Amino acid sequence: MYQIGEYIMYSNSGVCKVLDICTLPHSNNETDLCYMLQPAFDNKSKIYIPVSNDKVFMRRIYTKPEVKKFIESMAKLKPFWIDDKKERQIKFKETLKSHDTKNCMRILKGFYLEKQAKSADGKALSNSDNILFSFAEKQLFGEFAVALQIPIESMAKYIGTCLSEVN
């Protein structure tokens, strides 16, 4: 069971803080013990999820040392890219839903490299690729930012700096 004040990854909402553990009434006069979650980057939203719900993805966020190891490993990670746009959209969405951090990092690396290549040719990523890229970046950078206690807006630069120190 997660504790009040703890940060967790919750489904596709990303990093959330456990604000409370409370009971909510059901329509059949029963109650559920629920987590009240607040997305880390949206102070106005609240999510209520039964503690016993095992149908949605939830896990503790990585620790600072774990995140630093992930970042150090990025330089050696093989980028993940699929040339066929439809297949790429399907496979990337599927992979991101699995919440596998290494594969998310591989997808982001693939997007960064593709974005650089297209930019060199005076082109840009498609709208659907940009949406998927932003989602992947928000998920990964959100967790890393909270674990490292730095602003999410600084994550790309922070990772770039770390990678240049490794090389």
Side-chain angles (χ1 to χ4, degrees), residues 9 12-15 41 81 88-89 92-93 96 104-105 107-112 115 125-143 152-153 155-156:
M9 288 296 289
N12 290 333
S13 297
V15 179
F41 305 102
W81 189 257
R88 180 173 61 248
Q89 290 290 311
F92 282 16
K93 284 178 185 177
L96 292 171
C104 183
M105 289 169 31
I107 286 172
L108 278 177
K109 191 170 185 177
F111 270 124
Y112 274 115
K115 193 174 183 178
L125 291 176
S126 69
N127 190 41
S128 56
D129 279 340
N130 265 323
I131 290 168
L132 202 52
F133 176 52
S134 294
F135 177 77
E137 202 173 47
K138 179 184 168 209
Q139 292 291 310
L140 189 69
F141 287 5
E143 180 171 14
I152 191 169
E153 301 82 23
M155 277 312 307

Side-chain angles (χ1 to χ4, degrees), residues 78-130:
K78 182 180 176 188
F80 186 26
W81 189 257
I82 299 171
D83 288 328
D84 181 86
K85 185 177 176 179
K86 285 185 180 181
E87 185 182 340
R88 180 173 61 248
Q89 290 290 311
I90 291 167
K91 187 65 176 170
F92 282 16
K93 284 178 185 177
E94 184 180 291
T95 302
L96 292 171
K97 280 184 181 180
S98 76
H99 301 280
D100 181 305
T101 303
K102 284 229 189 254
N103 280 332
C104 183
M105 289 169 31
R106 290 182 61 222
I107 286 172
L108 278 177
K109 191 170 185 177
F111 270 124
Y112 274 115
L113 294 174
E114 185 67 16
K115 193 174 183 178
Q116 284 179 333
K118 285 192 177 288
S119 180
D121 291 340
K123 298 178 182 177
L125 291 176
S126 69
N127 190 41
S128 56
D129 279 340
N130 265 323

Side-chain angles (χ1 to χ4, degrees), residues 1-4 6 8-9 18 21 35 58-60:
M1 192 160 153
Y2 303 112
Q3 304 300 312
I4 295 172
E6 188 172 11
I8 65 169
M9 288 296 289
V18 179
I21 300 170
Y35 294 116
M58 286 191 284
R59 70 161 166 77
R60 286 179 172 80

Side-chain angles (χ1 to χ4, degrees), residues 26-48:
H26 262 298
S27 57
N28 59 359
N29 290 333
E30 293 181 22
T31 59
D32 266 342
L33 190 60
C34 293
Y35 294 116
M36 179 175 37
L37 306 176
Q38 181 176 50
F41 305 102
D42 179 2
N43 293 336
K44 295 179 182 171
S45 294
K46 304 277 187 294
I47 301 167
Y48 292 87

